[in-house]
Amino acid sequence: SRGINAEYGVIERKERGSGEGVTEEEGIEDVKEEVKEEMQDEIKKEMQEEVKEGENNVGVKEEEVEKVNKEAEEEREEGTVHTNTNILVDKMKFKKYNGYKEDPYLFLESDAQAFTPIKEWYNITDDFPFGNIFVRSSENTKQRNLSVACRRIRDIIQQNENRIKVINCGLKLFSYSKPAFSKCPYRLLQSGIHYSSRYLGSKLFSVSRDDMAKVLSAGGVPKATLEADLAEKLKDLPTMIVVFHLAAEGLRPEFWVCVYATENNVKSYVTEDEKNHFRLMLGLEPLLTEREKKKLDAMEKYREKKRIEAEMGKDGEEMKESEEAKEDGAAETTEEGDHTERTD
């Protein structure tokens, strides 16, 4: 039995026949120790029961149970207790998610075999930085794009290949093309034409504003419609991508356009938005894009549908009125016949 003597400020303990008096602080500490020991015993019993249940349900080996009990005992001694009610689940190891695996950046050698047809086809100058060209796959069949990065970016990627993860970098210059499109396996891309054009030889043409406006029209134009000197240069070229360059004039900056030259025609090989952008730079009206055409067609079909529904509704009302008139006329005829019979 325990009790607190408030008058003298001491705790009177009578335990197993002992009546020694202690101070209030010592008594509180003794009570805390006893409560702590009781809680630890209860926790130990509960955890042992859970381990036994887990052993019965899951079939845990005795060695694993002893290991779990030992770890739990060490955690209790350190003052930490499991927050999970199931110790076995708390001890499970889950697979760590490392994120999406990016394709590697593989820089090609300056004398790589892939550059040989590109050099010959586009007459690329010798000062082109082929050592900064990279691909994203080691397999030749999957090297669809050839991109370029500056020397410093190349050094950072190569020296930190296993340290950092690069999501995207570089500028796309060439893309794989089918043999039916061109004899060269790679074609020039508009996204990097402002960079690659400085290294092009005979496949770069300086054109006038009128010729640039013609190739930026809705469809292709015949080569004969271009200026005489330009038409003569394009006359004997095979089917391929060439580059038209328009020099700066006034507030308008210079720009380059990829042009697809066939046997008889030429047309710009850019997106619809890029084509309209260049047309606005030349002071021309933008062309309708495919999505705008679809939107206009849908609006026209909707108006036509409403017009037909209105006409059908009007015709239906007229037919209904004519039917009602016929019914009224038939009813009047019947009334007249009845009246004649009564008169007879």
Side-chain angles (χ1 to χ4, degrees):
S1 63
R2 299 188 298 270
I4 298 176
N5 190 333
E7 185 178 7
Y8 296 100
V10 298
I11 295 179
E12 296 179 356
R13 287 186 63 188
K14 292 182 180 180
E15 199 173 59
R16 298 180 181 178
S18 175
E20 298 179 357
V22 296
T23 62
E24 181 178 1
E25 295 179 356
E26 294 176 352
I28 292 174
E29 290 296 329
D30 293 341
V31 173
K32 287 183 178 179
E33 289 294 332
E34 292 178 2
V35 173
K36 186 176 179 180
E37 291 176 0
E38 292 176 0
M39 291 178 65
Q40 289 180 351
D41 293 339
E42 292 177 359
I43 292 172
K44 184 176 180 179
K45 290 179 181 179
E46 292 178 357
M47 297 181 73
Q48 288 176 351
E49 291 177 358
E50 291 178 355
V51 172
K52 290 180 180 179
E53 291 179 0
E55 183 180 3
N56 296 332
N57 297 333
V58 187
V60 183
K61 296 180 181 180
E62 294 181 358
E63 296 178 357
E64 296 178 355
V65 175
E66 292 178 359
K67 184 179 180 181
V68 171
N69 288 336
K70 185 177 180 181
E71 292 177 357
E73 187 67 27
E74 292 176 356
E75 291 179 357
R76 283 198 299 275
E77 291 176 358
E78 295 174 358
T80 59
V81 183
H82 281 288
T83 56
N84 198 328
T85 56
N86 190 343
I87 302 174
L88 298 176
V89 174
D90 196 33
K91 297 296 180 182
M92 289 175 62
K93 294 182 180 180
F94 295 94
K95 186 177 179 181
K96 186 178 179 181
Y97 176 68
N98 295 321
Y100 178 75
K101 185 178 180 181
E102 292 288 337
D103 294 330
Y105 288 81
L106 305 175
F107 285 86
L108 303 178
E109 299 294 334
S110 300
D111 56 350
Q113 187 177 359
F115 298 145
T116 303
I118 296 176
K119 288 180 180 179
E120 297 175 354
W121 190 256
Y122 294 106
N123 301 122
I124 294 179
T125 58
D126 296 333
D127 57 342
F128 186 87
F130 285 105
N132 295 341
I133 299 293
F134 67 86
V135 294
R136 301 297 300 273
S137 177
S138 58
E139 300 179 16
N140 293 331
T141 56
K142 295 184 179 180
Q143 295 177 358
R144 301 196 61 85
N145 297 310
L146 300 181
S147 305
V148 66
C150 65
R151 178 178 53 82
R152 293 182 179 180
I153 295 296
R154 180 197 64 189
D155 295 341
I156 291 173
I157 293 175
Q158 289 180 338
Q159 296 174 10
N160 300 274
E161 185 176 358
N162 299 323
R163 296 181 182 179
I164 59 176
K165 182 184 291 186
V166 180
I167 304 301
N168 191 13
C169 79
L171 180 67
K172 291 182 179 179
L173 300 183
F174 302 95
S175 179
Y176 175 79
S177 62
K178 296 180 179 180
F181 182 87
S182 175
K183 293 181 179 180
C184 182
Y186 289 94
R187 63 178 177 86
L188 291 167
L189 292 178
Q190 180 66 32
S191 59
I193 197 62
H194 61 281
Y195 178 85
S196 57
S197 60
R198 68 183 74 171
Y199 302 103
L200 296 179
S202 59
K203 302 304 185 292
L204 177 64
F205 301 94
S206 296
V207 299
S208 63
R209 180 189 176 281
D210 294 337
D211 287 342
M212 184 66 79
K214 290 177 182 178
V215 297
L216 291 173
S217 59
V221 294
K223 292 180 179 180
T225 60
L226 303 176
E227 293 185 0
D229 57 343
L230 180 61
E232 186 64 25
K233 294 178 183 179
L234 298 173
K235 181 179 178 181
D236 298 328
L237 284 180
T239 300
M240 63 181 304
I241 293 289
V242 297
V243 180
F244 280 12
H245 171 246
L246 182 63
E249 182 181 353
L251 298 177
R252 187 195 68 217
E254 63 176 347
F255 62 91
W256 299 262
V257 176
C258 285
V259 177
Y260 183 50
T262 59
E263 184 178 357
N264 298 317
N265 300 328
V266 289
K267 66 175 182 178
S268 59
Y269 203 75
V270 296
T271 63
E272 294 177 337
D273 294 332
E274 290 172 336
K275 183 183 292 186
N276 284 333
H277 173 68
F278 293 139
R279 288 180 63 87
L280 289 172
M281 290 176 66
L282 296 176
L284 304 174
E285 288 294 328
L287 302 172
L288 289 177
T289 61
E290 289 297 328
R291 59 176 178 271
E292 291 174 341
K293 291 179 181 179
K294 290 180 180 179
K295 190 180 292 186
L296 290 175
D297 292 341
M299 292 174 63
E300 188 65 27
K301 289 180 181 179
Y302 178 77
R303 294 194 189 99
E304 185 67 17
K305 181 181 177 182
K306 288 295 182 182
R307 185 183 63 78
I308 294 173
E309 289 179 353
E311 291 179 356
M312 291 179 64
K314 186 177 180 181
D315 294 341
E317 291 178 359
E318 292 178 355
M319 291 176 63
K320 187 176 181 181
E321 290 177 358
S322 61
E323 290 177 358
E324 290 178 355
K326 289 180 181 179
E327 292 177 356
D328 293 340
E332 291 177 359
T333 304
T334 304
E335 290 177 359
E336 290 177 357
D338 295 340
H339 180 70
T340 304
E341 289 178 357
R342 291 194 192 96
T343 304
D344 295 340

